[in-house]
Amino acid sequence: MTAQRIRVESAADGQFATNSYLVMDEDTHDAVIIDANFEPGLIVDLARVAGADVKAVLLTHTDLDHIAGLPVLLGEFGALP
């Protein structure tokens, strides 16, 4: 059994310093994004640079600062769950 290597990166928006996270399996590049802050382009850029294959967006709760960027993320990565 080999150890799974997980990469976690974050990007905080400038307005509220709300984090969005990219969590990626470094071997398969399968990834999820956690929360969609006010500056979703930051996490999109991190995903692109990492070569992430984003499979889903997970929202911790529905406060505006955690969901505002969802339309941009769906536009960039397609109809994700």
Side-chain angles (χ1 to χ4, degrees):
M1 178 185 226
T2 59
Q4 190 173 19
R5 298 177 313 139
I6 302 294
R7 177 179 184 169
V8 178
E9 294 195 46
S10 66
D13 67 59
Q15 188 170 1
F16 293 107
T18 301
N19 285 306
S20 288
Y21 297 92
L22 174 69
V23 181
M24 183 181 79
D25 180 308
E26 288 197 321
D27 296 322
T28 66
H29 290 247
D30 289 346
V32 297
I33 292 174
I34 302 172
D35 287 331
N37 67 24
F38 282 111
E39 293 181 46
L42 298 172
I43 205 73
V44 168
D45 290 346
L46 285 175
R48 298 277 188 237
V49 168
D53 182 11
V54 178
K55 301 287 188 180
V57 177
L58 309 174
L59 302 174
T60 58
H61 60 285
T62 58
D63 287 355
L64 187 58
D65 60 326
H66 289 258
I67 66 168
L70 187 57
V72 171
L73 295 180
L74 295 177
E76 290 288 332
F77 299 112
L80 300 172

